[in-house]
Amino acid sequence: MTELRRSLLEWYGRQGRDLPWRHQSDPYAIWVSEIMLQQTQVKTVIPYYQRWLDRFPTIKDLAIADLQTVLKAWEGLGYYARARNLHKAAGQIVRDYNGVFPQRLDEVLTLAGIGRTTAGGILSAAFNQPWSILDGNVKRVLSRLVALPVPPKKAIEQLWQLSDTLIDPQHPRDFNQALMDLGAIVCTRSRPSCDRCPWMPYCQAYSQGMQAQLPMRESSPPLPHKRIGVAVIRNDEGLILIDRRPANGLLGGLWEFPGGKIEPNETVEDCIRREILEEIGIDIEVEDHLISIDHAYTHFRVTLIVHYCRYLGGEPKPIQCEEVRWVTLEEIDRFPFPKANTKIIEALRQNN
DNA sequence: CACTCGTGGGG
DNA sequence: TCCCCAAGAGT
């Protein structure tokens, strides 16, 4: 056990990554990094990270910020509940802890968006507390270390126990970071570099020649596909109608061009006309096709079929959304949009 | 507890 | 082109 820890920490000292949040001692800055890194690769997070800290330097700055501003800063990162929860938790900390990030595990776990892995990550990185972690990297490393004979999802508690047992009580911060770096650099999911791994002598997957087959994965059913009719509605002044999605759920709180699912035996034009009447309560005429966009979410795929539309009449009302608004193409950038919709905005710009 | 929740990149 | 999945949490 001692040699296992020592060899990993020695490797980390030589080969560990230099990442922006590792220069931070402010628990807030570390917390932000942990949330951004949930299910998101380091390379994706980096351009967002410093920008976020510049815009919201302290917990109080984040707490008093408007949610729309927060979502705009998060735009493009995905899993927008993370941004909503970050904003909510900042309010919790200001209210319950006088704006100071708590240092007890049970308190940290009450904060929105922080579960067991993120709590352990923050407390070990910020305060060098000996809480273990179990993220994607650690699951893969440990699955190979013990040659786990089942998919990780079916052995979560066993893996937590292993992470608890392994963590170095003398160097919890460096140990957790080292374990994640090992997964990210050496014990990668494809073509792991076992010849450069400090744990090669202890790895059961390696000794069995099974490192390429582990961790085991479970088959997933094919994703459903939806066709969505989308409207770019323009009025006589050339303004464009956008709506804000419900606060929770898919893309919650973001803005979009209105539309909806094309039913069987329904034309795109009929769908768009129907959806706009149901959602916003106005009459439109569906005109030229603008663009079609294929986009894959985690649990389904969509094809957005986008048409220009002309506003005919009726008062726009937020029936199945939170808010509707007429905007110009110039001011539309101030609103947070999902990625698939920013492609529509690009197409609009190119047509002008 | 199985399902929901984005986006980008690798193979 | 298609599948997989990445510093997971909430319900």
Side-chain angles (χ1 to χ4, degrees):
Chain A
M1 179 70 77
T2 304
E3 177 54 22
L4 210 85
R5 292 170 178 151
R6 193 206 61 77
S7 62
L8 178 62
L9 289 171
E10 192 274 339
W11 171 87
Y12 178 63
R14 286 184 293 105
Q15 306 290 338
R17 292 175 291 182
D18 181 19
L19 300 171
W21 37 92
R22 289 185 181 163
H23 299 283
Q24 298 281 354
S25 57
D26 180 4
Y28 164 64
I30 292 169
W31 167 38
V32 170
S33 76
E34 292 287 341
I35 301 300
M36 286 188 171
L37 287 162
Q38 288 171 1
Q39 298 286 277
T40 307
Q41 295 186 354
V42 166
K43 182 168 52 171
T44 304
V45 166
I46 284 181
Y48 284 86
Y49 183 63
Q50 192 57 50
R51 201 160 61 219
W52 182 280
L53 292 180
D54 289 342
R55 188 161 326 208
F56 311 110
T58 70
I59 293 174
K60 182 173 289 183
D61 292 318
L62 177 57
I64 64 176
D66 184 85
L67 179 58
Q68 286 293 306
T69 307
V70 173
L71 287 171
K72 184 65 188 178
W74 200 271
E75 182 184 52
L77 256 186
Y79 283 142
Y80 297 92
R82 295 184 293 172
R84 301 194 299 269
N85 285 332
L86 206 43
H87 182 245
K88 179 179 179 182
Q92 289 180 263
I93 295 171
V94 167
R95 188 184 69 238
D96 299 339
Y97 304 104
N98 196 27
V100 180
F101 196 91
Q103 300 192 24
R104 276 174 40 191
L105 181 65
D106 60 335
E107 293 175 332
V108 172
L109 285 172
T110 67
L111 299 174
I114 299 183
R116 190 169 169 184
T117 281
T118 301
I122 295 170
L123 290 176
S124 63
F127 307 116
N128 207 24
Q129 293 179 20
W131 301 110
S132 62
I133 57 174
L134 189 63
D135 70 336
N137 285 312
V138 177
K139 285 177 190 168
R140 184 174 55 257
V141 170
L142 299 186
S143 295
R144 285 176 174 153
L145 182 66
V146 301
L148 193 72
V150 296
K153 207 188 309 180
K154 297 195 179 294
I156 291 299
E157 273 315 310
Q158 183 184 345
L159 290 168
W160 269 112
Q161 196 172 12
L162 190 53
S163 187
D164 283 341
T165 303
L166 288 172
I167 191 170
D168 188 334
Q170 305 302 320
H171 310 282
R173 171 192 292 125
D174 286 347
F175 184 88
N176 281 343
Q177 298 298 316
L179 201 48
M180 289 189 283
D181 274 16
L182 189 67
I185 298 169
V186 170
C187 196
T188 51
R189 75 183 155 108
S190 64
R191 297 171 42 77
S193 307
C194 300
D195 55 335
R196 292 189 291 148
C197 182
W199 281 2
M200 182 180 73
Y202 319 104
C203 182
Q204 297 187 35
Y206 179 78
S207 70
Q208 298 172 20
M210 290 291 292
Q211 64 271 23
Q213 277 67 43
L214 295 175
M216 293 185 66
R217 52 172 87 162
E218 34 201 346
S219 57
S220 56
L223 302 179
H225 188 279
K226 304 176 187 176
R227 296 172 68 232
I228 309 290
V230 176
V232 175
I233 305 168
R234 294 180 298 187
N235 65 12
D236 290 337
E237 288 91 52
L239 298 177
I240 300 168
L241 193 66
I242 60 176
D243 73 272
R244 184 157 53 86
R245 295 175 60 87
N248 298 308
L250 182 69
L251 305 168
L254 297 194
W255 293 77
E256 66 177 2
F257 297 96
K261 186 172 181 290
I262 301 173
E263 301 294 345
N265 304 321
E266 187 179 40
T267 68
V268 178
E269 287 80 0
D270 287 344
C271 162
I272 293 177
R273 213 159 23 236
R274 173 182 58 75
E275 289 283 351
I276 299 309
L277 189 57
E278 290 173 1
E279 286 185 24
I280 304 179
I282 63 173
D283 288 316
I284 60 168
E285 179 184 349
V286 180
E287 301 181 313
D288 292 346
H289 175 261
L290 170 60
I291 188 177
S292 289
I293 297 163
D294 289 313
H295 193 78
Y297 295 96
T298 306
H299 286 280
F300 62 96
R301 303 173 186 286
V302 294
T303 299
L304 304 183
I305 304 171
V306 187
H307 278 258
Y308 283 116
C309 298
R310 174 137 306 278
Y311 170 70
L312 294 181
E315 180 64 23
K317 296 177 289 289
I319 302 172
Q320 294 179 16
C321 55
E322 296 279 322
E323 184 179 355
V324 292
R325 198 152 165 173
W326 292 103
V327 298
T328 68
L329 200 49
E330 286 70 41
E331 64 186 344
I332 205 167
D333 287 330
R334 301 195 285 106
F335 300 86
F337 280 87
K339 200 62 185 175
N341 275 247
T342 64
K343 294 179 180 175
I344 299 174
I345 296 172
E346 282 181 37
L348 281 171
R349 292 234 157 82
Q350 289 175 1
N351 271 15
N352 276 12

